[in-house]
Amino acid sequence: ESDGLVVAYASRFGRSQLHGLLAIDRIVRAGGVFVSASEGLDYSTDMGRHMLRNMLSWAEWELDRVRANWRVANERAVQRGLFVGGVPFGYRRGEDGRLRIHPVHGPAVTELFRRRADGAPVVELRRWLIDDGVKTSRGDSGWHPSTLKKKLENRTYLGEARYVGVVNRSAHPPLTDPETWELAQFPGVRTPPRGFTPAPLLWGIVRCGNCGRPLGHSRAFEGTSVHARRYRCRGDTAAIPCRAPAHVGDATIEPYVEALF
């Protein structure tokens, strides 16, 4: 029994010399002990602490080496045309490790991009997939709008494979062409979400001449032909109130500022 922490190896406790030593210092300052069973060192002595620092440094170096080897291996795999990660919907992995077009899902992805490029909203695409009986990678028909959006933004369907900064643009057969892919990113005119109000032109820029606070904004007669917005200082409700809060209409100040610049 020990009032502290026991680990099998020092490297199992942490692979960062800095963070490992800081955590052990917290344990010791709290009156606990730190024990690494395999090394069998007494970390209450000068030599034990010296060896602990070295072992944590070696553990950090080992982690850096593993990460570097993993990165190089994946970069070389991408350069050979292999796809790193789970198989995207519309493809299947061949015996050589490269992606091949799925006989059923592949044409569905191509049609998905074509319809989106023609301006079909995501809800319509979802309805089309469900009505046609196209199953997800999990084998169900529970297509979620956010899932479809991510697929439409995925450059894998252009035939690309990538890992960090390495890109292979002809790693596997594409399911759509670059022009259709670009059109699928911006189909038609997008309307702002309900309740969305664009910020006024000078919001956060103009300030009250008396207290120096940024002017807030408010709307008046919204939905009418005389709809207007006003910039006003909200310093009258602050802990240190503004003695002369500024207020001005957008039709007055915005053309004035635009003329200055």
Side-chain angles (χ1 to χ4, degrees):
E1 295 182 0
S2 169
D3 291 330
L5 185 67
V6 181
V7 295
Y9 305 93
S11 60
R12 296 296 86 197
F13 178 71
R15 288 187 177 269
S16 167
Q17 185 185 40
L18 174 61
H19 295 158
L21 292 175
L22 288 175
I24 293 171
D25 183 65
R26 289 183 60 192
I27 295 173
V28 174
R29 287 179 181 274
V33 296
F34 175 78
V35 177
S36 177
S38 63
E39 285 83 12
L41 296 173
D42 183 3
Y43 298 120
S44 64
T45 65
D46 295 340
M47 180 56 68
R49 289 191 294 272
H50 172 70
M51 293 302 298
L52 174 63
R53 287 191 288 269
N54 286 336
M55 284 185 290
L56 289 174
S57 178
W58 297 334
E60 185 171 357
W61 169 80
E62 177 67 17
L63 179 61
D64 292 341
R65 188 182 64 84
V66 170
R67 285 175 173 171
N69 291 343
W70 178 255
R71 183 181 67 254
V72 171
N74 282 289
E75 289 176 351
R76 290 177 177 175
V78 169
Q79 291 170 352
R80 297 197 308 270
L82 303 181
F83 185 81
V84 178
V87 179
F89 179 80
Y91 288 102
R92 59 182 179 180
R93 200 181 298 274
E95 295 181 356
D96 57 356
R98 304 183 69 174
L99 295 184
R100 298 287 183 264
I101 297 178
H102 193 283
V104 177
H105 298 165
V109 172
T110 302
E111 179 65 13
L112 189 72
F113 274 95
R114 188 194 67 77
R115 290 175 179 246
R116 180 65 164 170
D118 289 341
V122 173
V123 290
E124 182 180 314
L125 297 176
R126 178 177 181 270
R127 191 180 309 113
W128 166 70
L129 288 171
I130 294 175
D131 292 344
D132 272 30
V134 180
K135 304 294 184 180
T136 66
S137 301
R138 300 187 303 271
D140 56 52
S141 57
W143 290 99
H144 196 276
S146 62
T147 302
L148 288 177
K149 290 180 180 179
K150 289 181 180 179
K151 293 187 184 303
L152 292 167
E153 296 170 355
N154 194 346
R155 298 187 64 88
T156 301
Y157 297 116
L158 289 170
E160 296 182 5
R162 60 180 63 228
Y163 184 82
V164 191
V166 178
V167 181
N168 187 338
R169 303 191 185 282
S170 57
H172 48 265
L175 288 175
T176 188
D177 58 89
E179 182 179 358
T180 303
W181 189 91
E182 289 290 344
L183 290 173
Q185 307 310 303
F186 304 97
V189 178
R190 293 184 176 180
T191 57
R194 184 175 300 176
F196 173 78
T197 303
L201 179 65
L202 303 177
W203 184 46
I205 300 176
V206 289
R207 293 177 175 271
C208 177
N210 182 62
C211 65
R213 293 184 177 93
L215 299 185
H217 66 93
S218 60
R219 293 169 296 191
F221 309 109
E222 191 172 5
T224 69
S225 59
V226 293
H227 174 222
R229 278 196 276 207
R230 298 188 64 81
Y231 296 92
R232 59 182 295 268
C233 174
R234 303 186 186 277
D236 53 345
T237 60
I240 303 178
C242 177
R243 297 183 180 275
H247 57 91
V248 62
D250 60 349
T252 301
I253 192 172
E254 290 180 358
Y256 172 77
V257 174
E258 287 177 335
L260 289 179
F261 292 93

